């Protein structure tokens, strides 16, 4: 539980006890019967079964009553503490609409708790919803890929050994130029346990005439374009309409991998899946995805305390921010992001908890993704917990600072955005205002 949710739980507790005047029994609220088949199964289908079914990351299946019943108490505990499903956006601050948000409403959490408190009854089988269909394609969160590129050979990670940083370059086999619309990178089947991180880049020569707006702002003169990142529990990137990445015939893909031995010899065949825009469609903007607002170089994390660090990044053009993510290591606790506008007003974007097991990208819903004017400064505020209370802390007796190894720390925001021209920016802002005033 994060310190914040502990605090909220404590507040909740106080409110609940003071609500009942002393010496008086609480009025018995009418109990609404809650059953698995009618009330709980639909929640599990929507928010849990993606991971909790055979051969997925979840440690047990939650497909049927018989699967779920033995875990009833644990299910109540994890959902009430909002540890499951993994989704760490704080619900009381900032923007609240995201794509593919599996998190539970307060009512759903209460329904699960009531079900468990009532003895976790099954209910009438006739109430059971039709099973949710998962096919193999569903393993890719971006939908059915048009192209999958793999590293050229299996990489075998020994049971024990130092961390390995390695680059593999693979031919994409693409025979015509296409624009990337969605991308997802991940380790080969069974290799999640050895993967610390995995980044993919496109290597290709792009002529000036072919460039999408925005690309030069980021990597002038480079033949490489960042594609996507995998980290434990991460989903994928779906690019907003009108934004893409050119992938040319014959392009190569560079896989930058950090392996971490897990105690068992493991073979990996990492891969990246790509979905393209229809042939003939050319997006206008290049999608930028960068690690920015770094606080890395000032990380100073004394033993036994929670430390705050701040990072800043100035957007020189008007921008459309479509996804946010934090990056820290084991001591990471929380990140907040705010936009300091050129008028010096501050716009709260979001706060999110951090758990090293779950590197999640949060994709804003289209009607709320921030549109920020040129000159906006993104401010990241990051907290690291170097105390004993942080159960992920490998050694609370020692100072820590920035470094590449898993036991070192990092602190930055990973932001996906496109740089807009002034005319498009104004038009998008006007359209947004019109829609919101209706
Ligand atoms: C993105 C994948 C994912 C989703 C979605 C997800 N889980 Fe999990 N769940 C996991 C993984 C991985 C673990 C084991 C590691 C951990 O506890 O973080 C886990 C652990 C659990 C546990 C602890 C198991 C035990 O041994 O007691 C429970 C209970 C649980 N999940 C319930 C749920 C419920 C209920 C939902 C939906 C409301 C859900 N999970 C959604 C991946 C997921």
């Amino acid at each position: 539980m994060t310190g914040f949710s502990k605090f909220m739980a404590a507040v909740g507790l106080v409110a609940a006890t003071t609500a009942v005047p002393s010496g008086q029994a609480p009025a018995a609220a009418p109990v609404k019967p809650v059953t698995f088949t009618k009330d709980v199964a639909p929640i599990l289908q929507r928010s849990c079964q993606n991971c909790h079914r055979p051969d997925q990351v979840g440690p047990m299946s939650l497909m049927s009553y018989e699967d779920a019943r033995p875990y009833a108490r644990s299910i109540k505990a994890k959902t009430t503490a909002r540890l499951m499903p993994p989704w760490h956006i704080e619900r009381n601050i900032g923007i609240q609409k995201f794509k593919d948000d599996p998190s539970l409403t307060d009512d759903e959490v209460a329904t699960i708790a009531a079900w468990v408190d009532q003895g976790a009854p099954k209910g009438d089988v006739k109430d059971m919803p039709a099973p949710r269909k998962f096919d193999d394609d569903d393993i890719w969160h971006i939908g059915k890929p048009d192209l999958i590129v793999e590293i050229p050979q299996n990489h075998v990670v020994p049971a024990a050994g130092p961390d390995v940083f390695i680059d593999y370059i693979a031919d994409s086999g693409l025979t015509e130029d296409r624009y990337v619309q969605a991308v997802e990178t991940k380790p080969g089947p069974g290799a999640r346990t050895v993967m610390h991180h995995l980044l993919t880049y496109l290597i290709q020569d792009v002529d000036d005439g072919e460039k999408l707006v925005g690309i030069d702002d980021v990597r002038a003169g480079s033949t490489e374009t960042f594609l996507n990142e995998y980290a434990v529990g991460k989903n994928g990137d779906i690019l907003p309409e009108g934004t893409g990445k050119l992938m040319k015939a014959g392009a190569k893909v560079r896989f930058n991998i950090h392996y971490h031995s897990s105690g068992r010899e493991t073979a990996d065949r990492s891969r990246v899946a790509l979905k393209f825009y229809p042939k003939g469609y050319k997006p206008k903007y290049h999608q930028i995805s960068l690690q920015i607002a770094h606080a890395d170089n000032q990380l100073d994390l004394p033993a036994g305390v929670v430390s705050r660090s701040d990072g800043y990044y100035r957007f020189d053009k008007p921008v459309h921010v479509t996804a946010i993510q934090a990056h820290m290591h084991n001591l990471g606790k929380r990140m907040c992001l705010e936009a300091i506008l050129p008028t010096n007003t501050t716009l709260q974007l979001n706060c999110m908890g951090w758990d090293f097991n779950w590197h999640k990208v949060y994709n804003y819903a289209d009607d709320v993704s921030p549109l920020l004017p040129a000159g906006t400064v993104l401010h990241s505020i990051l907290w690291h917990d170097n105390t004993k209370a942080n159960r992920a802390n490998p050694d609370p007796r020692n100072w820590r600072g920035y470094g590449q190894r898993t036991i070192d720390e990092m602190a930055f925001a990973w932001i996906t955005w496109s740089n807009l021209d002034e005319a498009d920016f104004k038009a998008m802002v006007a359209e947004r205002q019109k829609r919101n005033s209706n």
Side-chain angles (χ1 to χ4, degrees):
M1 204 192 274
T2 63
F4 183 73
S5 41
K6 264 192 209 127
F7 168 69
M8 291 304 284
V11 172
L13 208 68
V14 171
T17 39
T18 49
V20 182
S22 54
Q24 246 177 282
V31 177
K32 177 179 163 281
V34 177
T35 69
F36 182 85
T37 52
K38 189 158 190 246
D39 307 290
V40 176
I43 301 175
L44 302 187
Q45 285 192 348
R46 182 180 77 83
S47 294
C48 318
Q49 292 178 357
N50 207 26
C51 296
H52 287 280
R53 66 192 153 97
D55 298 325
Q56 293 296 322
V57 288
M60 73 288 186
S61 170
L62 293 178
M63 297 294 284
S64 67
Y65 176 73
E66 287 68 27
D67 289 339
R69 179 65 186 83
Y71 293 93
R73 279 182 174 284
S74 181
I75 290 171
K76 178 185 167 189
K78 296 269 181 189
T79 51
T80 309
R82 293 205 172 274
L83 293 171
M84 284 288 149
W87 180 266
H88 306 120
I89 292 288
E90 290 176 16
R91 304 173 73 83
N92 57 346
I93 204 164
I95 302 169
Q96 293 298 325
K97 270 175 82 184
F98 293 88
K99 290 178 179 164
D100 301 324
D101 176 354
S103 65
L104 304 183
T105 63
D106 291 343
D107 279 352
E108 287 172 326
V109 171
T111 298
I112 289 177
W115 172 64
V116 176
D117 293 345
Q118 292 173 23
K122 180 168 182 175
D124 190 336
V125 281
K126 287 199 296 268
D127 291 335
M128 188 72 183
R132 181 172 162 192
K133 291 248 186 316
F134 295 100
D135 54 23
D136 285 350
D137 292 338
D138 195 66
I139 292 173
W140 294 106
H141 299 87
I142 58 170
K144 189 174 158 44
D146 296 311
L147 179 68
I148 296 174
V149 183
E150 294 185 338
I151 58 173
Q153 62 186 77
N154 280 355
H155 181 102
V156 178
V157 182
D163 286 16
V164 173
F165 296 83
I166 190 169
D167 277 330
Y168 280 107
I169 295 184
D171 283 320
S172 67
L174 190 66
T175 53
E176 56 185 343
D177 295 0
R178 298 295 295 269
Y179 293 100
V180 176
Q181 190 248 321
V183 54
E184 185 173 354
T185 304
K186 65 179 162 195
R192 290 174 191 278
T193 49
V194 294
M195 188 61 67
H196 180 284
H197 81 229
L198 163 57
L199 308 176
T200 47
Y201 298 83
L202 281 176
I203 305 178
Q204 57 191 357
D205 282 319
V206 179
D207 298 334
D208 277 350
E210 298 172 323
K211 283 181 179 162
L212 300 175
V213 174
I215 188 164
D216 272 345
D217 303 320
V218 181
R219 290 183 148 246
S222 169
T223 54
E224 279 200 351
T225 314
F226 175 75
L227 262 181
N228 180 240
E229 181 227 20
Y230 166 85
V232 194
K234 200 179 135 165
N235 13 41
D237 292 340
I238 298 167
L239 280 49
E241 185 73 30
T243 305
K245 285 175 185 168
L246 172 60
M247 182 164 178
K248 296 190 65 176
K252 292 181 166 31
V253 175
R254 178 164 74 90
F255 292 79
N256 173 256
I257 309 179
H258 176 181
Y259 290 114
H260 188 71
S261 288
S262 71
R264 195 166 45 112
E265 184 180 281
T266 306
D268 170 50
R269 196 69 174 259
S270 285
R271 53 203 60 189
V272 58
L274 298 138
K275 259 177 82 167
F276 299 123
Y277 279 109
K279 283 182 197 173
Y281 174 87
K282 182 180 176 187
K284 178 169 177 183
Y285 289 107
H286 176 73
Q287 191 220 32
I288 301 167
S289 191
L290 273 188
Q291 304 167 359
I292 59 174
H294 283 264
D296 283 341
N297 294 335
Q298 40 151 306
L299 273 188
D300 177 10
L301 310 171
V305 294
V306 177
S307 304
R308 166 180 164 161
S309 328
D310 295 72
Y312 300 89
Y313 181 88
R314 184 179 191 275
F315 294 115
D316 294 331
K317 304 253 170 69
V319 292
H320 182 203
V321 176
T322 55
I324 55 170
Q325 180 181 2
H327 188 84
M328 294 175 260
H329 284 176
N330 283 308
L331 301 189
K333 184 183 173 74
R334 182 179 187 223
M335 178 180 83
C336 291
L337 287 177
E338 58 182 23
I340 305 168
L341 303 178
T343 51
N344 213 28
T345 26
T346 300
L347 197 69
Q348 182 70 53
L349 299 183
N350 284 97
C351 291
M352 62 187 81
W354 173 256
D355 173 347
F356 191 55
N357 287 320
W358 296 106
H359 295 223
K360 288 202 95 69
V361 185
Y362 299 101
N363 289 289
Y364 285 117
D366 291 333
D367 55 340
V368 295
S369 45
L371 290 163
L372 305 170
T376 297
V377 172
L378 184 77
H379 177 198
S380 68
I381 309 161
L382 303 108
W383 286 269
H384 289 79
D385 183 352
N386 196 6
T387 69
K388 279 201 296 263
N390 177 359
R391 286 164 62 195
N393 192 348
D395 184 0
R397 295 165 309 172
N398 271 319
W399 177 92
R400 300 283 205 88
Y402 170 74
Q404 287 287 337
R405 297 170 306 168
T406 309
I407 61 150
D408 298 321
E409 276 303 323
M410 291 198 174
F412 55 80
W414 192 320
I415 306 294
T416 303
W417 82 93
S418 38
N419 285 336
L420 305 173
D421 61 34
E422 283 291 346
D424 280 356
F425 175 70
K426 288 205 176 95
M428 285 170 80
V429 170
E431 198 203 336
R432 177 88 51 96
Q433 276 164 352
K434 201 169 122 201
R435 203 173 338 125
N436 292 350
S437 64
N438 284 341

